[in-house]
Amino acid sequence: MKIAQLQQQQQQQQQQQNNQQQQLQQQALSNQQSQVTSHQQQQQEKLGVAGVSVEGSMSNSFRGNDQNSGSSSKTLIMYGSDGSGALASPSNPLADIDRFVEDGSLDDNVESFLSHDDTDARDTVGRCMDVSKGFSFSEFSCIRASTSKVVCCHFSPDGKLLASAGHEKKAVLWNMDNLKAKGSLEEHSFLITDVRFSPNSTRLATSSFDRTVKVWDADNPNYTLRTFSGHTGSVMSLDFHPNNEDLICSCDGESEVRYWSVNQGACTRYFKGGMSQVRFQPRLGRYLAAAAENVVSIFDVETGTCLHSLQRHTKPVHSVCWDAKGNYVASVSEDSVRVWNLGSGGDGECVHELNCSGNKFHSCVFHPKYQSLLVIGCYQSLELWNMAENKSMTIPAHDGLIAALAASEATGMVASASHDKSVKLWK
């Protein structure tokens, strides 16, 4: 009987020792996890100051994919075809960020983002280009362009000048050789909404809330060549025809589109259908894309007939842009980007879609060298969307809304104009 009691006591003591050991192990593990979590938070805070963080995910569905761009003002995200939202390496995300920041391997990651082994269709939107020689997209310079919000910018045809304008009521010409101001255009009485260079001359034009369109000579910007009046609402956008340098188009907040003759100094046609932005088809100039509310209308330039009414957006369209060959037009609303086929064999069908559930979209431009890459301006960040692979990368860019984007085929540069009063150059 005593032997049995002794054995029972020994078993109880052994069980108590095991329990104590397990508690000590759990406590040690908890402390270690707490230290790791604290270290990760410190690293994230440090990287946030440096302007880089990781977040978000992306569905890989080709149409209607949900993208969480995130609400953070500074993000750098690589989305993979697996929809994981992870950077290229499957290892620790913080280690990946450190690697990108420290050893400059971001360019390699962008090349991976764009590469596609089996296709070489540089001229076709929606199919990836050959980037075997490498691809980079990084900030080249920052111009403190204004004392107020900058809302528009555009390169001259040769890429030697950049015009920027906005709430300061004047447009500034920047010399791209030394990034210094060449001159300013200062005759508008209210904020300037759009600025565009003529594709075939030294002329440029501005539109304004003062209900006028003004034409200038970049070689002598001290006074206007023409002032066009006639709009009943604030003029929101304008564009030069690519072949007929005498023709300018503009639209106002009342959805009225007007054609102007520079030589005659008069309006030659007006019709309804454009409110937020108008852009002529590059090179050929057969079509005019005009955005009004949530519809993009494609007009025949000669007849003024509406050929296509592109109606897939559910919110107002802020921006439209054509690819360099004039076969595709992209349209941007705050929650989605859509690309429409208007080239040979195209009938205005939507061929690509990118949906946003976080950082709202606002502006867009096709990359000047890689036409299957669309650059999208958001709040504080740029979105690089490779339509061929349906991959998206977010790059921290500004401290405010990116209101406009411009691209130069001559230099390969992209310009971003922001409400943070600056214009940044990317290459």
Side-chain angles (χ1 to χ4, degrees):
M1 183 68 179
K2 291 181 178 181
I3 295 175
Q5 290 176 348
L6 182 60
Q7 290 176 343
Q8 185 176 5
Q9 289 176 356
Q10 289 176 344
Q11 291 176 353
Q12 289 175 350
Q13 290 175 355
Q14 182 66 33
Q15 183 65 34
Q16 289 176 354
Q17 291 176 354
N18 291 340
N19 290 340
Q20 291 175 354
Q21 188 174 4
Q22 290 178 355
Q23 290 175 356
L24 290 173
Q25 291 174 345
Q26 290 175 352
Q27 184 176 1
L29 180 60
S30 176
N31 290 338
Q32 183 180 4
Q33 290 175 338
S34 176
Q35 292 174 357
V36 171
T37 302
S38 176
H39 175 71
Q40 289 177 338
Q41 290 174 345
Q42 291 173 0
Q43 289 292 324
Q44 288 173 342
E45 290 172 358
K46 178 180 179 181
L47 290 168
V49 173
V52 184
S53 63
V54 171
E55 59 185 30
S57 61
M58 181 176 180
S59 167
N60 192 43
S61 58
F62 190 68
R63 291 187 180 274
N65 56 8
D66 292 330
Q67 177 187 348
N68 179 10
S69 298
S71 59
S72 171
S73 63
K74 304 285 187 180
T75 55
L76 176 59
I77 305 174
M78 171 70 75
Y79 293 102
S81 58
D82 60 354
S84 63
L87 291 161
S89 170
S91 58
N92 185 287
L94 291 173
D96 280 341
I97 296 174
D98 290 336
R99 176 169 60 83
F100 289 142
V101 172
E102 291 173 3
D103 68 10
S105 60
L106 176 60
D107 289 352
D108 295 334
N109 201 43
V110 175
E111 179 178 347
S112 150
F113 156 70
L114 283 172
S115 63
H116 193 273
D117 294 338
D118 298 328
T119 60
D120 183 11
R122 297 175 182 82
D123 299 331
T124 305
V125 171
R127 301 189 66 186
C128 196
M129 71 299 293
D130 181 8
V131 291
S132 58
K133 294 183 180 180
F135 172 87
S136 65
F137 188 88
S138 58
E139 182 180 338
F140 173 73
S141 184
C142 178
I143 302 172
R144 184 56 57 179
S146 176
T147 59
S148 190
K149 295 178 180 178
V150 185
V151 301
C152 53
C153 62
H154 196 228
F155 285 104
S156 61
D158 59 8
K160 293 182 179 180
L161 292 176
L162 175 72
S164 65
H167 288 213
E168 202 175 358
K169 307 175 190 177
K170 68 178 181 180
V172 181
L173 298 178
W174 302 95
N175 190 323
M176 289 293 96
D177 290 334
N178 54 24
L179 301 182
K180 294 182 179 180
K182 176 183 177 180
S184 59
L185 323 176
E186 303 189 33
E187 292 188 15
H188 283 291
S189 58
F190 288 97
L191 69 90
I192 295 174
T193 56
D194 204 0
V195 59
R196 303 289 286 179
F197 279 94
S198 167
N200 305 303
S201 70
T202 60
R203 292 174 179 171
L204 70 156
T206 51
S207 59
S208 170
F209 265 32
D210 65 12
R211 302 183 180 181
T212 68
V213 172
K214 293 181 180 292
V215 182
W216 315 74
D217 186 346
D219 290 337
N220 190 4
N222 296 324
Y223 60 91
T224 56
L225 300 176
R226 292 285 190 189
T227 296
F228 295 120
S229 301
H231 279 288
T232 58
S234 300
V235 186
M236 304 304 296
S237 181
L238 65 93
D239 200 16
F240 280 92
H241 192 275
N243 300 321
N244 181 5
E245 62 183 63
D246 181 50
L247 176 60
I248 293 178
C249 175
S250 60
C251 69
D252 64 25
E254 304 297 324
S255 193
E256 184 176 81
V257 178
R258 284 179 174 257
Y259 286 177
W260 307 93
S261 167
V262 177
N263 295 332
Q264 298 177 25
C267 177
T268 59
R269 175 182 291 165
Y270 61 91
F271 52 91
K272 292 288 186 178
M275 182 180 296
S276 57
Q277 201 164 63
V278 287
R279 293 291 183 258
F280 282 112
Q281 178 194 33
R283 300 187 183 183
L284 298 177
R286 295 174 183 169
Y287 306 135
L288 174 73
E293 298 294 344
N294 63 336
V295 177
V296 178
S297 299
I298 306 298
F299 293 98
D300 183 288
V301 171
E302 291 295 327
T303 66
T305 303
C306 182
L307 303 176
H308 303 285
S309 183
L310 313 179
Q311 303 185 34
R312 294 281 293 272
H313 285 281
T314 58
K315 293 190 176 183
V317 175
H318 298 305
S319 176
V320 293
C321 67
W322 291 86
D323 75 304
K325 290 193 171 183
N327 293 325
Y328 296 84
V329 63
S331 55
V332 175
S333 62
E334 68 175 40
D335 63 342
S336 67
V337 181
R338 302 177 189 276
V339 179
W340 315 83
N341 182 9
L342 293 162
S344 178
D347 194 29
E349 68 272 20
C350 180
V351 292
H352 298 296
E353 299 178 18
L354 180 66
N355 293 320
C356 173
S357 59
N359 198 357
K360 295 177 181 179
F361 299 145
H362 190 85
S363 50
C364 66
V365 70
F366 283 90
H367 191 280
K369 299 299 182 182
Y370 302 103
Q371 288 295 298
S372 68
L373 181 65
L374 189 70
V375 184
I376 306 165
C378 310
Y379 178 73
Q380 298 186 327
S381 65
L382 290 171
E383 194 83 7
L384 300 185
W385 178 28
N386 176 5
M387 293 172 287
E389 296 294 323
N390 200 24
K391 295 178 182 178
S392 177
M393 172 185 281
T394 304
I395 297 179
H398 285 271
D399 293 326
L401 177 71
I402 300 174
L405 293 165
S408 171
E409 287 189 72
T411 64
M413 280 198 291
V414 172
S416 55
S418 172
H419 286 185
D420 68 5
K421 308 176 185 178
S422 72
V423 174
K424 290 192 175 183
L425 302 174
W426 308 81
K427 194 170 182 179

